[in-house]
Amino acid sequence: MTKGEAQAQATATGQRSLKFRPLSPVVGAEVTGMDFSREADQDTVRQLRDAFDRYNALLFRNVTLAVEEQARFGRIFGQIKVRGDYKPNEFPDTQHISNTRADGMLGDGELTFHYDQLFYPDPLKAIMLYGVEVPKGKGGETLFCNTSLAYDALPDDFKVELHGLSCIHAYNYKGNRADPNFARSGGADAPRFQHSLVWIHPRTGRRSLWFSKASTDRVVELDTAASELLLARLREAVYRPEFIHTHRWHVGDLLIWSNQVVQHARTPFDPAEPRTLRRTPIVEG
Ligand SMILES: O=C(O)CCC(=O)C(=O)O
Ligand SMILES: [Fe+2]
């Protein structure tokens, strides 16, 4: 069989040869060659899962994607689990980060660094966003901070200090996200959960740091002053330009990232500028 024939046959069976190109030294690869219009075959699934574990974020550009195609693609990485503060719409697997849609959530303003849902026993494994409408001007970028790289760069004695510690994470859905005490401002009904501070990736064995500026209340094993100090030292060590990648959105971008390794944040933007990202929340499964 010639190369051309092999390619034609591969295409006919849904097989695609994917290409991965790192987006930055910090996080992410741009992927080309993906066909979203059909179910991915086993080899494609394996390549995507391996690349996801390796790069912690995958970006596909200029994608035209129906809502159902987005959900089907999301299921390659886990189970879709929609929960939290959102208004249901006609698509049970889909949410919208939006300042134009009636069911839009987190429509405007800056978002400080966070993982999604550390305050649940099973936080999201991955988050996928698809650019539907994006600001023309500056702002509204999503920032990604790779906490595995940050962990690796910690001095050895600091790593030893973290050993065996865990944090309480909480979220006040009714609260003001700009409040510096946001994580602890929730009442008894605020979702709250305790996880180990150092998370070990089940497939790569790499360590990442499960704390965040937005939703970590305290370190359980330390008294209040020592907990505050440790969290401040972690923020100082982790939120550094060398661990952060900035994504500027274009319509048709499909971006999926690891919510177990990478924290995300958002820069402020002009609220008059429409911004809608179609979102798929994914848990292990
Ligand atoms: O709007 C963004 O850039 C990020 C929103 C966010 O925090 C999320 O989708 O979990
Ligand atoms: Fe988020």
Side-chain angles (χ1 to χ4, degrees), residues 97 105-106 111-117 124 127 129 142 171 257 259 263-266 279:
I97 306 286
M105 59 182 198
L106 302 174
L111 293 174
T112 189
F113 270 113
H114 64 284
Y115 292 105
D116 272 44
Q117 304 183 349
L124 296 183
I127 299 164
L129 295 177
T142 308
Y171 197 81
W257 71 91
N259 186 59
Q263 295 190 24
H264 57 288
R266 177 173 76 195
R279 182 174 195 271

Side-chain angles (χ1 to χ4, degrees), residues 77-81 83 114-127 167 169 173 192-196 199 210-211 215 257-262 264 279 281-285:
F77 301 90
Q79 259 180 57
I80 300 177
K81 189 159 185 174
R83 62 186 163 188
H114 64 284
Y115 292 105
D116 272 44
Q117 304 183 349
L118 284 190
F119 40 85
Y120 289 132
D122 55 340
L124 296 183
K125 172 190 179 186
I127 299 164
C167 294
H169 309 276
Y173 278 110
R192 201 173 293 271
F193 203 78
Q194 179 175 340
H195 291 284
S196 286
W199 184 77
W210 277 25
F211 81 99
S215 73
W257 71 91
S258 163
N259 186 59
Q260 295 168 321
V261 174
V262 176
H264 57 288
R279 182 174 195 271
I282 297 164
V283 291
E284 293 278 6

